[in-house]
Amino acid sequence: MSNFWLEFEKPVVELETRISELREFTSGSNIEVDEELKRLEKKADRMRHDIYTKLTRWQRVQLARHPRRPYTLNYIGWMCEEFTELHGDRAFADDPAIVAGLARIGGKPLAIVGHQKGRNTKENIHRNFGMPHPEGYRKALRIFELADRFRLPILTFVDTPGAYPGVGAEERGQSEAIARNLREMANLAVPLVTVIIGEGGSGGALALAVSDRVYMLENSVYSVISPEGCAGILWKDRAKAPEAAEVLKLTASDSLEQGVIDGLIDEPVGGAHRNPEMAAAAIRLQVEAAFEELGNLDPETLLQKRLEKFLNIGVYQE
Amino acid sequence: MSWFRRQNNRPKKPTESRDLPDGVWTKCENCSEILYFKELERNLHVCPKCGNHFRIRSHKYVEILTDPGTFQETNANVVSKDPLKFKDSKKYTDRVKDAVKKTGMNEAIVTGTARLDELPVVLGVMDFAFIGGSMASAVGEKIARSLKLCLERKEPMILVSASGGARMMEGILSLMQMAKTSVLLARLRNERIPYISILTHPTTGGVTASFASLGDVILAEPGALIGFAGPRVIKETVAQELPEGFQRSEFLMKHGFLDRITPRSELKQTVGNILRVFHDGVNASSHAGIAFRPRTSVPLSEHDPVPLSDHDSFGASEGGNGSMPILELPDPDGSTTT
Ligand SMILES: [Zn+2]
């Protein structure tokens, strides 16, 4: 995974590697090398501009799924001074595809819940590729209610291909678990902020995102169905996922335009994985501002506004 | 408030292109029995031999569940737009037009007010014939308006689901209808307004993962396919044969996600009985909203009858008058919940 790069990233990464190598091997000043470096830097700038200002929706999907992309626990590590992970749904199991716990950001206490993907095969088997079972959603709800009881604002990170479609998941009520979260999140009398950091896959994502503020990282996606799934249904060909991504309009700016999210968080040029700490700092800034603002509302107003926000989503005519 | 507006015109009878002409024989897809159509119809489209529940249209459920002549459709003119300008082999707008023509409905759900066994109720029935009963913005909006009406009038909600899930052609907006309907159901629950969810064949995807699974009581017709993911997707994911009867009503019942499997012929009676118990329970408590506290429920069995004192502890009934709206609850701060 560590040397994985997307096709469209490769030219930039190669050029950047050449630049840094050139820097490393020339100590002191060397006018010729300096000239060459300047030229290459300029070229790299132009190349980055060309690629990253014209990303297709499918390229954004690829960035959202990038194996190097920071995951929930990475962001927690960069954003929080303190994180005490809590486990289990108290009914069946602990689902490693969702992490939850108590944390501090800038000294302020809060609860954090998020989907968690794995970085390699072994981790991904453990985390089930970030696809939760019902017990994951039930753990999330348990922590939400804990937070509500102790007046802790809640931050959720969304990063899942979707809730797991498996036999055990159905037996244990995947639908019920998701549905219950959607309903109960409407009752949590504490500020709720969600950041979609990678894949916002359908109901499995929404079950952590019925929040007062929902933000998306610039290269994350939010969709009712995966592009592959959509292509399979529309054209009986999962390979047509890039076309499906276009028609589904699943990018952060698409979601913002449709009034589904509250804001977009800029990523470092090239994506969050090119400078994860910078991405974390941008998220922290947005999240702190949102909590500050929401903290001024009394609980009743907060709940009423949350309800109205979701009631206003949708496009129809009469 | 526009959602409060009611249309007085009777619902127009949807065209029934799928229905067979009188006197034709039809074959049960389950037991292969050849059935006389008239007889099948008299039996509410349930095979008299094997009990197979044929899929029926929304207006049939309206007929089955409501007292004759009491159904008044609401928000029939809330219809889809095309937010994504979606086009695959066909334009989404054309797909909707075709569905309207085929079904005689404007959307994949019909909503309205009615009486069920004399109790005033708000009713929604999804129709699988309209783009697979998929949840579009207009569907979510119609359900939301129905739920608001329940809150306004303190009347129970009854929702019959039949859906393949969210309507892909409306993208993320269709997904958000799951949240839109569920957050309102939180309000109904907080206000002790009953919500009965009836699941029919098939109910899957985003509909199952939202309002369909949130009933105070959840009933399902026998043999209905009910699940989060479709069986084909699961089979591809787990790469193994699925267990016998997987995702059928009986499977869900066994795993604890249904209250009852109720044959079509018993739906109305069952819903009526349940609503009356809720109604009488709430109205029997003298200070409805205040004195009514959820108590630990006593498990009932033949060997463990509910003690009489449990009934008495609610106090004398002051409601129960037929003209009173069901579940009249005090509104503590005088504000409406919409
Ligand atoms: Zn039969």
Side-chain angles (χ1 to χ4, degrees):
Chain A
M1 287 302 173
S2 64
N3 45 30
F4 179 92
W5 296 103
L6 298 167
E7 274 314 311
F8 68 84
E9 291 180 302
K10 276 181 185 161
V12 182
V13 173
E14 275 159 18
L15 187 55
E16 285 172 353
T17 311
R18 235 171 90 204
I19 292 169
S20 65
E21 277 169 1
L22 200 57
R23 273 228 179 81
E24 216 169 295
F25 294 124
T26 48
S27 46
S29 66
N30 177 328
I31 290 167
E32 259 171 61
V33 177
D34 280 354
E35 283 300 311
E36 175 67 2
L37 271 171
K38 232 185 239 165
R39 196 184 64 79
L40 290 177
E41 287 282 15
K42 227 176 174 171
K43 192 177 166 194
D45 273 343
R46 208 168 43 237
M47 199 184 263
R48 278 189 292 257
H49 181 267
D50 286 351
I51 294 171
Y52 294 110
T53 55
K54 300 185 194 103
L55 288 174
T56 64
R57 290 188 171 90
W58 179 243
Q59 286 173 323
R60 301 242 191 230
V61 171
Q62 290 175 295
L63 285 172
R65 295 171 176 174
H66 203 296
R68 290 165 173 264
R69 198 165 173 84
Y71 300 143
T72 293
L73 284 174
N74 301 125
Y75 285 123
I76 288 174
W78 286 308
M79 288 169 63
C80 307
E81 306 94 76
E82 191 184 304
F83 180 66
T84 308
E85 190 176 349
L86 304 175
H87 294 272
D89 69 343
R90 297 291 191 272
F92 180 76
D94 182 44
D95 187 348
I98 286 184
V99 294
L102 305 173
R104 280 183 193 275
I105 296 179
K108 292 187 179 147
L110 77 160
I112 301 182
V113 175
H115 301 99
Q116 181 64 39
K117 292 181 176 177
R119 191 64 67 193
N120 53 44
T121 309
K122 193 176 159 227
E123 271 183 36
N124 260 324
I125 290 167
H126 176 58
R127 301 284 183 191
N128 200 31
F129 299 85
M131 293 186 282
H133 282 73
E135 46 273 23
Y137 294 110
R138 292 185 180 125
K139 168 166 72 177
L141 183 56
R142 185 173 78 80
I143 303 306
F144 292 159
E145 286 173 347
L146 193 68
D148 187 21
R149 204 151 2 104
F150 292 100
R151 300 275 173 271
L152 300 169
I154 299 166
L155 170 62
T156 70
F157 289 110
V158 167
D159 190 12
T160 181
Y164 187 63
V167 175
E170 296 286 329
E171 284 174 341
R172 299 196 289 279
Q174 189 72 287
S175 295
E176 193 274 348
I178 292 171
R180 182 185 293 253
N181 279 19
L182 304 183
R183 182 186 67 202
E184 293 309 316
M185 287 184 88
N187 280 329
L188 302 168
V190 292
L192 264 159
V193 173
T194 293
V195 183
I196 300 174
I197 55 174
E199 286 183 275
S202 199
L206 185 62
L208 299 187
V210 185
S211 304
D212 301 303
R213 297 282 185 277
V214 179
Y215 302 103
M216 286 177 75
L217 280 186
E218 190 186 344
N219 295 313
S220 65
V221 293
Y222 199 7
S223 184
V224 66
I225 186 170
S226 72
E228 289 85 353
C230 177
I233 293 170
L234 292 185
W235 302 295
K236 311 272 172 261
D237 182 6
R238 293 173 70 86
K240 291 207 168 128
E243 285 95 316
E246 283 303 316
V247 294
L248 282 169
K249 301 205 170 59
L250 43 57
T251 67
S253 52
D254 290 331
S255 293
L256 189 61
E257 228 165 84
Q258 296 180 75
V260 165
I261 60 164
D262 301 282
L264 206 146
I265 301 173
D266 287 337
E267 291 183 29
V269 177
H273 61 293
R274 302 300 300 277
N275 192 340
E277 276 151 282
M278 196 172 163
I283 293 176
R284 178 172 163 168
L285 209 64
Q286 183 64 267
V287 166
E288 283 183 310
F291 279 138
E292 177 90 34
E293 199 191 322
L294 295 166
N296 294 326
L297 303 174
D298 62 280
E300 218 163 296
T301 313
L302 187 73
L303 291 180
Q304 187 61 29
K305 279 179 180 282
R306 191 181 304 154
L307 178 81
E308 282 164 11
K309 170 189 152 121
F310 284 94
L311 292 187
N312 284 331
I313 298 179
V315 175
Y316 56 89
Q317 54 192 342
E318 64 178 315
Chain B
M1 277 170 272
S2 62
W3 50 264
F4 191 67
R5 213 174 47 225
R6 289 173 71 175
Q7 287 128 8
N8 287 321
N9 56 319
R10 277 283 153 75
K12 56 179 185 294
K13 192 113 178 155
T15 52
E16 297 176 31
S17 55
R18 283 172 73 247
D19 277 9
L20 300 165
D22 288 359
V24 165
W25 298 87
T26 185
K27 192 169 139 185
C28 174
E29 56 197 6
N30 183 50
C31 72
S32 301
E33 180 80 355
I34 308 290
L35 303 163
Y36 186 48
F37 187 80
K38 279 279 182 196
E39 193 196 340
L40 186 62
E41 199 171 32
R42 261 197 306 279
N43 206 34
L44 307 178
H45 298 263
V46 175
C47 173
K49 195 182 171 211
C50 73
N52 178 32
H53 281 54
F54 286 63
R55 198 149 63 208
I56 54 171
R57 297 288 311 281
S58 49
H59 65 275
K60 288 277 180 197
Y61 281 109
V62 171
E63 240 175 78
I64 289 168
L65 286 168
T66 61
D67 299 347
T70 62
F71 183 75
Q72 296 202 298
E73 189 172 1
T74 50
N75 299 304
N77 49 352
V78 172
V79 296
S80 284
K81 271 176 100 166
D82 182 16
L84 301 187
K85 308 265 169 287
F86 197 96
K87 184 173 176 271
D88 48 281
S89 56
K90 205 171 178 181
K91 273 161 60 183
Y92 172 47
T93 47
D94 288 340
R95 217 176 267 282
V96 171
K97 266 184 220 149
D98 291 350
V100 169
K101 219 162 111 190
K102 176 182 143 199
T103 62
M105 298 172 73
N106 284 337
E107 249 307 331
I109 189 168
V110 58
T111 60
T113 59
R115 290 195 172 247
L116 185 157
D117 203 9
E118 292 176 12
L119 296 166
V121 297
V122 180
L123 175 68
V125 185
M126 302 188 83
D127 200 315
F128 197 76
F130 195 105
I131 317 184
S134 52
M135 182 148 64
S137 292
V139 173
E141 180 66 18
K142 284 176 86 169
I143 294 173
R145 291 184 188 193
S146 302
L147 294 170
K148 287 177 187 171
L149 194 57
C150 291
L151 288 164
E152 178 94 346
R153 298 184 173 187
K154 314 279 185 203
E155 287 176 9
M157 182 75 203
I158 298 163
L159 241 165
V160 181
S161 292
S163 174
R167 190 174 299 168
M168 206 167 55
M169 296 78 113
E170 291 192 14
I172 191 71
L173 288 170
S174 65
L175 183 80
M176 302 312 285
Q177 305 310 308
M178 292 169 65
K180 181 170 177 165
T181 50
S182 300
V183 295
L184 270 174
L185 283 169
R187 289 292 170 102
L188 257 78
R189 190 176 162 90
N190 297 346
E191 306 258 334
R192 292 193 191 89
I193 295 170
Y195 162 43
I196 313 284
S197 172
I198 301 173
L199 313 181
T200 69
H201 178 74
T203 302
T204 62
V207 167
T208 321
S210 59
F211 57 83
S213 290
L214 294 174
D216 292 305
V217 172
I218 306 178
L219 307 176
E221 287 190 343
L225 177 76
I226 303 159
F228 173 68
R232 196 182 44 79
V233 173
I234 296 173
K235 213 168 158 179
E236 278 167 16
T237 309
V238 302
Q240 67 185 57
E241 281 308 304
L242 302 175
E244 178 80 16
F246 184 61
Q247 294 184 312
R248 297 287 160 172
S249 305
E250 297 71 18
F251 172 93
L252 270 89
M253 182 77 186
K254 180 182 152 209
H255 288 284
F257 294 100
L258 297 178
D259 286 283
R260 296 181 71 83
I261 295 174
T262 308
R264 199 169 281 162
S265 57
E266 294 171 23
L267 278 178
K268 186 180 181 183
Q269 187 67 53
T270 305
V271 172
N273 289 349
I274 290 165
L275 289 182
R276 277 196 192 283
V277 169
F278 287 154
H279 172 270
D280 292 354
V282 172
N283 282 278
S285 79
S286 43
H287 305 285
I290 303 146
F292 187 95
R293 273 186 295 270
R295 302 169 314 145
T296 320
S297 60
V298 184
L300 294 179
S301 76
E302 293 143 314
H303 310 293
D304 186 18
V306 63
L308 272 177
S309 61
D310 264 47
H311 294 298
D312 294 337
S313 64
F314 280 115
S317 166
E318 55 173 18
N321 176 333
S323 65
M324 279 190 57
I326 187 169
L327 297 177
E328 187 63 69
L329 293 173
D331 194 354
D333 55 7
S335 63
T336 51
T337 349
T338 51

